[in-house]
Amino acid sequence: MDFDLMAYFVNINQQMNYTRNNFQRPTYDAFALTDRLLMKNFRLSKELTQYLINILKPYIVVDSRLSSIDIQTKVLVALNFFATGSYQTSVGNSRLMNLSQSSVSRCVKEVVAALNQPEIFNTWVKFPSNIQELDEVRNEFYKKTEFAGVIGCLDCTHIAIVSPSKNLNLVENQYPEYMYVNRKSYHSINVQLVCDSNLKVLNVSALFPGSTHDVHIWNNSNVSIMLEELHAHNYSDYFLLGDSGYPLRPWLLTPIAQPTTAAEENYNKNQMYVRSVIERCNGVLKMRFRCLLKDRVLHYKPEKATAIINACTVLHNMCIERNIVEVIDETVEDFDLGMYHNQEPLNEHVNDNRNRNLMLGRRQRDRIVGFLQNRNLIQP
């Protein structure tokens, strides 16, 4: 236990009076912690934590029983679970909570459900819905990277879960148990993320089991449909960046598999540099909310794990918008971020003459290759 936390408990124990036959459990005021300790335990600042409590109030029921758990405690319990990835029993037994495992489970369930409410989730995790919003994201990318046209970076990451039931049903899991086993041979959900240049998640899809190919998730994504529609209406200056496992399209630019010129090498170098933002986003998300790390493993059924992933994404975006500092944990030396880049690159030459979108994608990419090369020639 560090000195600040020890001093806090010594002080609070001196102030609290325990009375027999008082059915209210003794609690500690987390807001009396130092800013550093509150961030360490809950990942949010005091101001952001209070904001979160306020916006969740309409969605979390607190009954009138004397022994009922107040909304502040419920939110703090859930935040501590997200932040540490600890099992619920250890969270409940902490000096800040003093709750049973079943109470902790209910708290996490209620807070996760509240964060998944459309009024909250769609406010904090949203892809640009008009040209003005697209321009804002694109301009931010250009200011930071000088790579014109980028409105987001795309990749998938795996979130480990316990082996789901082998009894297939639409309530517990819509896919057979074996489909959750990914290429690294553990059960997971394959989560698609799209982020902006500030590491804010613009879109998350946590609906598919671990064996699902990234391309299948992308092809079933609302973002893919929206961007294709955008280009069909001649808004062609907006695109995402993805790795070579994705299909080249005018709205999704991938690396050149076998570059033959200096200009193509330069494009690949720049494309990889800009695209690295999605890897950093994934790393910040998982280190901030360590329940998503592979060695923690979400002990929930797939649909509940999906809801937890969505909830952590909402909280991550809140932290990004409020400029909450990234969590650096020097005790973690080796962990699996769940991004696999050993997929075979898609063959761009298959059905080349018959695939109009591939042809347009190559034309779009060639245009960017030329733009980046000319920029290098102009610069001193």
Side-chain angles (χ1 to χ4, degrees), residues 34-84:
T34 64
D35 291 336
R36 184 180 68 84
L37 281 175
L38 190 128
M39 286 279 294
K40 180 179 180 180
N41 284 280
F42 307 107
R43 298 302 194 246
L44 277 58
S45 65
K46 291 182 181 180
E47 179 187 6
L48 184 52
T49 302
Q50 190 59 61
Y51 168 80
L52 180 65
I53 292 169
N54 291 338
I55 67 169
L56 295 186
K57 278 182 180 177
Y59 306 99
I60 297 178
V61 176
V62 177
D63 60 45
S64 57
R65 289 179 303 163
L66 192 61
S67 60
S68 65
I69 304 171
D70 62 278
I71 186 171
Q72 175 175 306
T73 300
K74 290 182 178 182
V75 171
L76 290 173
V77 165
L79 288 178
N80 190 240
F81 172 72
F82 300 150
T84 64

Side-chain angles (χ1 to χ4, degrees), residues 152-192:
C153 294
L154 166 73
D155 210 342
C156 286
T157 185
H158 289 260
I159 307 295
I161 62 172
V162 294
S163 175
S165 169
K166 294 186 178 181
N167 296 323
L168 185 64
N169 62 74
L170 297 179
V171 177
E172 293 187 4
N173 47 295
Q174 301 180 38
Y175 300 94
E177 173 271 333
Y178 68 86
M179 290 191 67
Y180 288 92
V181 181
N182 62 31
R183 295 201 310 274
K184 293 294 183 72
S185 300
Y186 65 87
H187 293 84
S188 71
I189 293 176
N190 195 4
V191 182
Q192 178 182 278

